[in-house]
Amino acid sequence: MFVLYLGEEHIRMIGLNWEALVDRMENAVRIIDSGDYKQPIKPYLRYHNPANRIIAMPAYVGGSVQTAGIKWIASFPGNLDAGLPRAHGITLLNDAATGVPRAMLNTPLPSAARTAAVSGLLLRHYLSAQGEDRRIKLGIIGFGPVGRLHYEMCCQIYKERIDQIDLFDIRGCRLDSPDLDRVDAHLLRLTKVAASWQQLYNECDVVITCTVSKERYIDVSPKKGCLLLDVSLRDFHTAALSSVHAIVVDDWDEVCRENTDIELLHLQRGLTKEQTLTLTDVVCRHALKDLRSEEPVLFCPMGMAVFDLATAAYFVECANALGIGIQLQ
């Protein structure tokens, strides 16, 4: 019995086909909507420093994926000050019918790619609802690994829609990173590093937060018609979101906890599950089409194990087709 082992170098060899990854996330959303999945609430393991966490994310994904498994992901924000990656992750896949282990992905890259692909899926349906003529000024706050993947994803899929790209990171933004080798030269010329998050926030109408900020800092209401992709989940003061009523989550029970912006809106503004939309509403029922064009939209994705397993299964499929990886007995 063999288990396929994939490390980061193998995922890099396969490459990040963002259109295919977003398609896989859309398929996973439709599987969720069908009910052919299981996903218990993920536990957080904390010890010593409460800022650190290791999260267990088990799930079963049915439909065309037919896999079960678990992602075990550590997030230690202080690692950045020590020159270490913030996140370390391992994903294990089991055959859905027999439970036999079939693959191990020993890298956080699929997890980060999943995060960007889910954002890409929401952006796909948002732009579809806005119409073919909608152009965007894209802003990304936080330009670490997740921010760079969002930048690459947007540049690859939505390059025909982008008029301007602003970046901001308190640690600085390197546009000569090897991660950005595949970004179109024209889009690199459209990219500028903002002097502050405020400048970016005031100029851009699609704002993606990818920070590891210890404190909330965004205290300004968004522009009319702005899309806020709140990937890092803990960037907004509640007052800054007082004008936002179109709120999309991936899973209410997951996201309304752990000091997220959604939990604060629930506790301080009385936001309820019934007042939010889900990704299934957006993808399967076109929920964004009824919104007024000037209505700001907030998307808060806690991260679903279903998406992680669907992403891992995609890379395993590609690896098998290309003969990439190591067979462990």
Side-chain angles (χ1 to χ4, degrees):
M1 188 179 303
F2 291 90
V3 174
L4 178 66
Y5 175 90
L6 299 176
E8 180 152 341
E9 69 278 12
H10 301 119
I11 303 301
R12 296 285 183 189
M13 289 171 64
I14 294 166
L16 299 177
N17 181 328
W18 289 110
E19 196 78 52
L21 285 165
V22 172
D23 286 344
R24 293 300 174 115
M25 295 303 95
E26 176 144 355
N27 181 55
V29 169
R30 296 188 184 280
I31 291 171
I32 291 170
D33 196 54
S34 77
D36 190 16
Y37 80 105
K38 294 293 180 182
Q39 180 181 272
I41 294 289
K42 54 192 178 188
Y44 283 60
L45 173 64
R46 287 191 170 91
Y47 53 90
H48 301 319
N49 184 347
N52 299 333
R53 58 194 184 272
I54 308 179
I55 309 169
M57 299 176 63
Y60 154 73
V61 191
S64 59
V65 180
Q66 289 299 319
T67 195
I70 187 169
K71 182 177 80 169
W72 180 242
I73 182 99
S75 176
F76 282 53
N79 282 0
L80 296 175
D81 296 324
L84 297 171
R86 174 188 63 84
H88 293 83
I90 293 179
T91 304
L92 299 175
L93 296 185
N94 301 76
D95 181 82
T98 65
V100 173
R102 64 187 186 94
M104 171 192 295
L105 289 74
N106 183 16
T107 165
L109 181 55
S111 177
R114 174 272 285 168
T115 302
V118 171
S119 294
L121 177 60
L122 191 285
L123 190 53
R124 169 188 284 179
H125 286 269
Y126 174 79
L127 290 174
S128 175
Q130 292 279 308
E132 293 183 0
D133 295 333
R134 173 64 191 271
R135 311 283 299 177
I136 62 173
K137 295 180 180 179
L138 173 69
I140 301 175
I141 303 175
F143 206 57
V146 174
R148 291 195 296 273
L149 288 177
H150 275 81
Y151 177 75
E152 180 187 330
M153 177 274 295
C154 290
C155 288
Q156 187 179 121
I157 300 179
Y158 303 113
K159 58 185 177 182
E160 303 301 329
R161 300 267 199 157
I162 296 173
D163 288 334
Q164 174 181 320
I165 306 173
D166 287 1
L167 308 173
F168 178 76
D169 192 306
I170 57 173
R171 298 173 183 271
C173 300
R174 284 190 55 196
L175 293 177
D176 59 349
S177 169
D179 293 350
L180 307 181
D181 285 346
R182 298 197 303 164
V183 174
D184 184 272
H186 170 68
L187 292 169
L188 282 172
R189 288 193 293 272
L190 291 179
T191 303
K192 63 179 182 178
V193 178
S196 65
W197 72 260
Q198 292 95 332
Q199 180 189 33
L200 179 156
Y201 193 72
N202 288 329
E203 289 188 7
C204 296
D205 45 32
V206 174
V207 176
I208 310 175
T209 60
C210 302
T211 76
V212 290
S213 178
K214 297 176 182 178
E215 297 179 353
R216 287 173 167 84
Y217 57 94
I218 298 179
D219 54 3
V220 181
S221 297
K223 294 170 58 176
K224 290 183 178 180
C226 181
L227 173 63
L228 306 175
L229 299 176
D230 187 12
V231 174
S232 39
L233 293 170
R234 300 168 184 89
D235 294 77
F236 290 86
H237 289 283
T238 303
L241 299 173
S242 59
S243 64
V244 180
H245 302 286
I247 299 174
V248 183
V249 300
D250 50 3
D251 185 284
W252 172 268
D253 294 326
E254 283 285 8
V255 78
C256 189
R257 63 193 186 112
E258 292 292 329
N259 191 37
T260 63
D261 293 335
I262 291 294
E263 184 181 30
L264 285 195
L265 286 170
H266 172 64
L267 295 174
Q268 297 180 9
R269 200 176 89 181
L271 181 71
T272 65
K273 180 178 181 179
E274 292 69 27
Q275 293 172 321
T276 64
L277 302 169
T278 65
L279 264 179
T280 53
D281 294 325
V282 170
V283 172
C284 303
R285 284 168 285 284
H286 311 292
L288 297 182
K289 284 191 176 296
D290 296 330
L291 297 180
R292 294 172 297 130
S293 60
E294 65 270 22
E295 183 85 16
V297 177
L298 172 69
F299 178 45
C300 293
M302 189 68 152
M304 298 180 69
V306 166
F307 296 146
D308 285 292
L309 297 195
T311 301
Y314 163 78
F315 283 116
V316 168
E317 179 185 317
C318 292
N320 286 331
L322 297 170
I324 291 173
I326 301 170
Q327 295 287 346
L328 302 177
Q329 188 168 15

